[in-house]
């Protein structure tokens, strides 16, 4: 797995995008941006499309970032700037269960990946979006990823696959850190002395 510095995470609602973004952010020490926090103002008031484009461009201007969220109309901007895209291609039943559980867990408050003042809600429109995602959005997403030849594309289809992949990333990061260490001729770790 190649070096990841600019990462896009996409997938159905309830697929685990924000959770994976936070986990990767901690593992790779790369700042994370949840698109929902850019788009929604307190009280679930959306900003304009133009304002969202400008906010997204500001994030993309940085050398290292993780961005989670779909917002398909602006996905090409992210894919063009990214070096890695992760598609959480989770089963429909799991996504539906997660959005229901999330609604109960954060009742009356905002979840960590949402702007303050946007208390967790669950609308029939969103349930329908998640239900229809495998037919309405998934084929187009897979097609987009197949055409994104400059990107490292990672498709994860189960929570176990996510956990396994994160473990591989952690192992690789540890190996990279170890390879940068300097050793003495006897094999002991070289330590810089401040004089």
């Amino acid at each position: 797995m190649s070096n990841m510095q600019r990462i896009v995470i996409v997938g159905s609602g309830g697929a685990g995008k924000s959770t994976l973004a936070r986990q990767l952010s901690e593992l790779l020490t790369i700042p994370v941006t949840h698109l929902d926090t850019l788009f929604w103002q307190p009280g679930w008031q959306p900003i304009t499309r133009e304002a969202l484009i400008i906010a997204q461009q500001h994030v993309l201007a940085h050398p290292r970032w993780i961005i989670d969220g779909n917002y398909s109309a602006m996905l090409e901007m992210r894919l063009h700037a990214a070096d890695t895209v992760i598609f959480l291609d989770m089963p429909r039943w799991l996504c539906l269960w997660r959005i229901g559980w999330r609604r109960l867990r954060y009742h009356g408050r905002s979840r960590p990946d949402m702007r303050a003042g946007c208390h967790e809600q669950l609308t029939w429109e969103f349930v329908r979006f998640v239900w229809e995602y495998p037919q309405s959005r998934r084929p187009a997403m897979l097609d987009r990823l197949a055409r994104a030849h400059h990107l490292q594309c990672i498709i994860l289809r189960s929570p176990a696959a996510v956990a396994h992949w994160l473990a591989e990333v952690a192992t690789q990061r540890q190996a990279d850190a170890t390879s940068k260490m300097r050793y003495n001729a006897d094999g002991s770790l070289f330590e810089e002395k401040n004089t």
Side-chain angles (χ1 to χ4, degrees):
M1 123 187 17
S2 64
N3 193 22
M4 299 180 291
Q5 300 293 318
R6 297 176 305 282
I7 305 166
V8 171
I9 304 176
V10 292
S12 173
K17 299 182 297 296
S18 298
T19 300
L20 178 59
R22 287 192 303 272
Q23 291 169 325
L24 269 182
S25 177
E26 291 174 12
L27 189 58
L28 302 176
T29 62
I30 297 177
V32 64
T33 298
H34 306 290
L35 286 181
D36 279 342
T37 64
L38 297 183
F39 183 65
W40 296 107
Q41 300 297 306
W44 292 99
Q45 296 300 310
I47 63 173
T48 65
R49 184 177 187 275
E50 293 74 23
L52 182 57
I53 289 172
I54 291 168
Q56 183 176 261
Q57 287 172 331
H58 177 73
V59 176
L60 297 179
H62 291 85
R64 303 174 77 232
W65 41 260
I66 298 169
I67 302 175
D68 85 84
N70 292 311
Y71 295 85
S72 298
M74 286 164 274
L75 179 58
E76 288 304 324
M77 290 172 57
R78 277 170 276 144
L79 294 182
H80 181 73
D83 57 45
T84 304
V85 60
I86 303 168
F87 177 32
L88 295 180
D89 190 18
M90 296 294 160
R92 173 191 286 159
W93 66 266
L94 177 63
C95 295
L96 288 169
W97 185 87
R98 283 177 169 174
I99 65 172
W101 170 246
R102 187 167 70 192
R103 172 65 178 89
L104 293 173
R105 181 178 180 194
Y106 293 104
H107 176 72
R109 59 193 175 110
S110 302
R111 63 180 191 261
D113 54 302
M114 186 58 69
R115 185 178 292 275
C118 292
H119 293 173
E120 187 62 22
Q121 60 181 3
L122 185 58
T123 64
W124 284 114
E125 180 182 9
F126 187 55
V127 171
R128 186 168 56 248
F129 171 82
V130 172
W131 176 261
E132 295 175 352
Y133 188 92
Q135 286 76 38
S136 66
R137 307 288 177 122
R138 180 179 181 270
M141 182 63 72
L142 289 171
D143 182 61
R144 267 180 158 166
L145 298 186
R147 290 183 281 112
H149 302 296
H150 72 288
L151 288 172
Q152 174 181 211
C153 294
I154 299 160
I155 301 175
L156 302 170
R157 293 191 166 94
S158 70
V162 172
H164 180 75
W165 181 76
L166 280 171
E168 286 183 347
V169 172
T171 299
Q172 183 63 51
R173 185 157 171 81
Q174 181 63 40
D176 291 346
T178 301
S179 69
K180 292 176 183 173
M181 293 180 181
R182 296 168 60 195
Y183 293 90
N184 296 311
D186 64 359
S188 61
L189 186 61
F190 176 81
E191 293 183 26
E192 297 277 355
K193 303 287 188 191
N194 292 330
T195 56

